[in-house]
Amino acid sequence: MIKILVVEDDIAVANLIKLNLNTANYESTIVFDGEEALNIIERDRFDLILLDVMLPKVDGFTLFEKIKPLGIPVIFLTAKSSVTDKVYGLKAGVDDYMTKPFEGIELLARIENVLRHYNKKSNIIHFKDTEVYLQEMQVKKNGEMIELTLKEFELLVFLVQNKNIVLTREKIIEKIWGYDYVGETRTIDNHIQKLRRKLGWKDEIKTVFKLGYRLEE
């Protein structure tokens, strides 16, 4: 899973960013000042950093100069609309620059673009001891290959990408079988039972009475 560090001293903004990142299935960590950011970067690995310019203790520009040798892509976040700041950041080598306030959908698009440029966009999603290889359409549990049909695989991906969220039968049909599906919802139940059996997820895939299913960690 892609790991993103959010360095932002505004708690409300930081939490909103984290919410958007979680929705897009990124793993995120928040720190609130430049000094704390330096400490965590030394201890952990990140695929991308969202970096506020105006930070306590160590400002964003100074912090970026320390990050740059590590080769981690950086997107600057700032409340300033100063052209001078933007030019300074871009000349320094920052990968992108966003002025607050911004829409979550735009931030996610910028992140995806930067990750694609660095070839960091993950082709693998994880759930506990299970790895799902999106491009190869393969699933491994504890390193052992699990054989799934196409619909089982698509349903598994949908569940993992929306873990801890209730997925109604109607939403599952629309996503996996399409708008024009005219079969019975029992088909979904059968596929869920097969996933539970093949992956040993009897407790992980919860039935939500009269609604649908939820994959729980």
Side-chain angles (χ1 to χ4, degrees), residues 185-208:
T185 57
R186 185 64 186 167
T187 299
I188 299 171
D189 302 330
N190 290 336
H191 280 74
I192 289 289
Q193 292 302 324
K194 290 176 181 177
L195 284 181
R196 283 172 170 159
R197 185 179 69 253
K198 291 182 178 182
L199 294 167
W201 285 2
K202 180 181 178 181
D203 296 327
E204 283 78 2
I205 303 178
K206 303 290 187 182
T207 300
V208 181

Side-chain angles (χ1 to χ4, degrees), residues 11-60:
I11 296 176
V13 172
N15 288 334
L16 183 59
I17 291 173
K18 185 176 181 66
L19 179 63
N20 280 279
L21 295 178
N22 290 347
T23 301
N25 295 300
Y26 294 118
E27 181 180 339
S28 58
T29 301
I30 298 175
V31 295
F32 299 103
D33 63 67
E35 187 174 274
E36 190 180 0
L38 283 174
N39 291 334
I40 197 170
I41 290 168
E42 291 177 355
R43 301 193 311 266
D44 207 345
R45 177 196 64 82
F46 294 97
D47 297 292
L48 183 139
I49 297 175
L50 299 176
L51 179 59
D52 187 23
V53 171
M54 303 299 291
L55 289 169
K57 298 185 180 179
V58 180
D59 69 84

Side-chain angles (χ1 to χ4, degrees), residues 83-135:
V83 175
T84 303
D85 280 350
K86 184 174 182 179
V87 171
Y88 180 91
L90 294 175
K91 281 188 175 181
V94 70
D95 295 277
D96 206 343
Y97 193 111
M98 295 191 68
T99 301
K100 295 180 285 186
F102 47 77
E103 295 292 334
I105 191 170
E106 180 185 2
L107 176 63
L108 294 177
R110 299 283 190 99
I111 290 172
E112 186 168 348
N113 184 59
V114 171
L115 290 174
R116 188 182 298 113
H117 178 74
Y118 277 78
N119 294 317
K120 286 179 175 282
K121 188 64 177 174
S122 179
N123 178 46
I124 306 172
I125 55 177
H126 302 264
F127 183 82
K128 294 190 174 181
D129 56 4
T130 302
E131 296 178 331
V132 182
Y133 297 80
L134 299 176
Q135 187 171 338

Side-chain angles (χ1 to χ4, degrees), residues 62-73:
T62 301
L63 185 58
F64 176 69
E65 292 301 323
K66 297 180 182 296
I67 295 171
K68 190 158 58 170
L70 302 177
I72 305 172

